[in-house]
């Protein structure tokens, strides 16, 4: 199918219901990318201030791990309804509503003055984040249909650049001695502006007809759950990088204060780079082979940083992890959105929810393992997830 010309109104199939898109494909792609960017910088802003909040609340590794469980709990509570809402009302409407709510929840995190406050606010952050995550990935899947080539990894590349930008902004805020609350609201203001100027350019239309009542966990031959398990392993590794990389470089690598951010930054740069070239690699190697190689690279990087916990090898290891995780989840979402048997909203809800649980449960798992042994050992455990990814993808027929 040829790309649709910029000045044409186009008709597309969104969850089996034709709608009209008023914006050019490239403008729609930019709008969707900016929503990915907004969601990424919001989460990165939280992640960049975890060491500060941990210190302010005087939390141990184990206590922080317990509190971080509030995020996946919010995810689990919302999982049964997120896909239905996106399918019934359309990803554009749900994303336009939940994107501002997501940054409001981010602002609340800066108000925490006690561990239970932080847990409660993280729960709300997880609830809204789940709906926002499913809506934006459904948008990505629908926007990809406007083009004759894969573009999903580039959307996640925008999310990765946002993560790197959020880390740099976080470092700046720390050096300027700006407390997390004000930091979070500065980011929230920027995202409100983004929503205001770009929501009208999202892929419009509803999902499934109101007469059809799809089952949330319908799985064509179990393929969606299998995709979700692979995504879980990849995103658990990604979550380990987001929430614990700063602590790892500080406590294990013994990096000076000025270089603590190096591990996180190197991971984010390489993940973003991998996502912007990932579509070309997928076109050349195929989805299955790309994911298998990615899993091996991911594990290699984790083990390098574990066995050689020094600044240079650990930084190289984190860079390899970034390359490894870069294309896995975007590819899984693309496959899910085109499964043909379940509406994209429902399919992505299943795969995204299971995958995102890894992103949210990986950090608490690291905290518990660290409390029992050491943070270095916990990173070694996470390193096996890449090997599991390479093994599992070879068993799945849904990935070509």
């Amino acid at each position: 199918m040829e790309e649709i010309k910029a000045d044409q109104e186009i008709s597309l199939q969104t969850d089996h219901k034709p709608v009209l898109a008023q914006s050019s494909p490239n403008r729609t792609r930019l709008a969707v990318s900016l929503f990915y960017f907004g969601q990424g910088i919001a989460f990165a802003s939280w992640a960049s201030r975890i060491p500060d909040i941990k210190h302010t609340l005087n939390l141990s590794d184990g206590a922080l791990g317990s509190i971080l469980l509030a995020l996946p709990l919010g995810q689990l509570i919302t999982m049964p309804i997120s896909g239905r809402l996106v399918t019934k009302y359309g990803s554009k409407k749900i994303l336009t509503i939940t994107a501002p709510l997501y940054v409001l929840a981010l602002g609340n995190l800066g108000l925490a003055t006690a561990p239970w406050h932080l847990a409660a606010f993280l729960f709300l952050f997880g609830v809204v984040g789940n709906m926002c995550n499913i809506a934006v990935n459904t948008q990505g899947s629908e926007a990809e249909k406007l083009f004759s080539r894969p573009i999903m990894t580039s959307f996640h590349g925008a999310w990765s650049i946002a993560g790197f930008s959020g880390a740099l902004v976080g470092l700046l805020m720390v050096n300027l001695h700006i407390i997390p609350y004000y930091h979070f609201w500065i980011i929230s203001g920027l995202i409100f502006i983004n929503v205001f100027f770009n929501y009208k350019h999202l892929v419009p239309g509803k999902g499934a007809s109101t007469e059809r009542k799809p089952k949330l966990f319908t799985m064509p031959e179990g393929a969606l759950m299998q995709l979700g398990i692979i995504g879980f392993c990849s995103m658990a590794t990604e979550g380990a990088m987001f929430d614990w990389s700063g602590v790892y470089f500080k406590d294990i690598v013994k990096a000076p204060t000025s270089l603590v951010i190096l591990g996180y930054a190197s991971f984010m740069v390489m993940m973003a780079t991998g996502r912007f070239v990932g579509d070309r690699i997928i076109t050349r190697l195929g989805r299955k082979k790309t994911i298998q190689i990615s899993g091996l690279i991911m594990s290699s990087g984790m083990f390098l940083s574990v066995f050689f916990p020094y600044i240079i090898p650990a930084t190289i290891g984190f860079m390899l992890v970034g390359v490894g995780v870069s294309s896995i989840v975007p590819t899984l979402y693309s496959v899910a959105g085109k499964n043909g048997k379940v509406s994209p909203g429902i399919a992505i809800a299943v795969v995204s929810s299971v995958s995102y649980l890894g992103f949210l449960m990986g950090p608490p798992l690291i905290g518990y393992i660290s409390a029992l042994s050491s943070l270095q050992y916990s990173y070694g455990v996470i390193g096996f997830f890449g090997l599991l990814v390479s093994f599992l993808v070879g068993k799945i027929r849904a990935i070509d």
Side-chain angles (χ1 to χ4, degrees):
M1 184 178 70
E2 297 180 353
E3 281 191 28
I4 304 173
K5 294 181 180 179
D7 56 341
Q8 289 182 324
E9 258 190 11
I10 58 172
S11 177
L12 60 138
Q13 194 78 8
T14 304
D15 284 351
H16 313 296
K17 184 171 182 176
V19 296
L20 292 177
Q22 302 297 328
S23 302
S24 70
N26 287 331
R27 184 63 182 89
T28 295
R29 181 178 183 178
L30 175 62
V32 175
S33 296
L34 288 172
F35 270 86
Y36 271 91
F37 185 92
Q39 192 168 345
I41 200 170
F43 189 87
S45 297
W46 146 247
S48 70
R49 301 309 294 265
I50 287 176
D52 296 317
I53 294 175
K54 178 177 181 285
H55 175 74
T56 299
L57 298 181
N58 195 28
L59 299 173
S60 65
D61 287 353
L64 178 61
S66 296
I67 291 173
L68 290 176
L69 278 173
L71 262 170
L73 181 59
Q75 163 92 356
L76 284 168
I77 293 296
T78 317
M79 194 186 304
I81 63 172
S82 295
R84 291 181 181 274
L85 290 174
V86 170
T87 299
K88 182 175 182 180
Y89 297 106
S91 58
K92 177 180 179 178
K93 181 177 291 186
I94 297 301
L95 184 57
T96 303
I97 294 171
T98 56
L101 291 177
Y102 189 58
V103 293
L104 287 175
L106 170 67
N108 285 337
L109 295 173
L111 294 174
T113 57
W116 73 269
H117 293 164
L118 182 59
F121 293 145
L122 281 174
F123 175 82
L124 293 176
F125 198 49
V127 166
V128 183
N130 177 263
M131 291 187 284
C132 196
N133 180 59
I134 291 172
V136 77
N137 278 295
T138 303
Q139 273 289 309
S141 176
E142 293 300 336
E144 190 176 45
K145 295 176 184 178
L146 305 180
F147 294 81
S148 59
R149 62 185 186 276
I151 62 171
M152 181 65 91
T153 61
S154 68
F155 288 139
H156 287 256
W159 195 95
S160 299
I161 287 181
F164 178 64
S165 301
L168 293 180
V169 172
L171 181 61
L172 175 64
M173 294 294 177
V174 170
N175 289 331
L176 293 177
H177 305 289
I178 296 177
I179 63 174
Y181 179 72
Y182 294 132
H183 171 190
F184 294 160
W185 276 106
I186 290 171
I187 298 299
S188 298
L190 294 175
I191 296 175
F192 278 123
I193 294 173
N194 174 50
V195 172
F196 179 78
F197 283 105
N198 289 288
Y199 79 93
K200 65 183 72 174
H201 300 291
L202 296 175
V203 181
K206 282 190 177 183
S209 169
T210 54
E211 297 178 359
R212 184 161 57 104
K213 296 183 178 179
K215 296 180 181 180
L216 179 60
F217 292 106
T218 299
M219 293 175 288
E221 300 178 357
L224 295 182
M225 187 59 71
Q226 293 172 341
L227 294 175
I229 293 172
I230 294 174
F232 179 97
C233 295
S234 177
M235 294 195 77
T237 305
E238 195 173 328
M241 294 292 103
F242 267 93
D243 286 6
W244 288 97
S245 59
V247 180
Y248 191 87
F249 257 62
K250 181 179 179 180
D251 295 345
I252 304 300
V253 179
K254 304 296 182 182
T257 303
S258 60
L259 295 179
V260 165
I261 195 67
L262 181 60
Y264 178 83
S266 62
F267 164 77
M268 291 304 305
V269 166
M270 295 310 296
M271 183 168 68
T273 301
R275 284 176 170 172
F276 281 112
V277 302
D279 291 321
R280 295 181 182 180
I281 295 173
I282 290 169
T283 300
R284 175 168 295 187
L285 300 180
R287 291 183 174 92
K288 179 170 289 188
K289 192 170 184 179
T290 298
I291 295 178
Q292 287 177 320
I293 295 173
S294 295
L296 295 176
I297 294 174
M298 188 169 71
S299 286
S300 298
M302 290 295 289
F303 290 138
L304 178 61
S305 65
V306 168
F307 292 123
F308 302 96
Y310 310 105
I311 290 181
I312 293 179
T315 300
I316 294 173
F318 279 26
M319 292 172 70
L320 289 174
V321 175
V323 172
V325 303
S326 62
S327 298
I328 296 176
V329 170
T331 302
L332 298 177
Y333 289 169
S334 181
V335 172
K338 299 174 182 177
N339 73 91
K341 297 182 180 180
V342 183
S343 65
I346 294 296
I348 292 176
V350 175
V351 177
S352 176
S353 295
V354 177
S355 300
Y356 202 59
L357 280 176
F359 189 71
L360 300 175
M361 295 182 70
L365 175 64
I366 286 178
Y368 290 135
I369 296 175
S370 177
L372 294 173
S373 55
S374 71
L375 184 57
Q376 186 175 1
Y377 183 79
S378 65
Y379 260 48
V381 173
I382 296 296
F384 285 100
F385 283 7
L387 299 178
L388 186 58
V389 166
S390 296
F391 172 77
L392 290 176
V393 73
K395 305 294 182 180
I396 296 179
R397 297 179 180 177
I399 302 176
D400 52 23

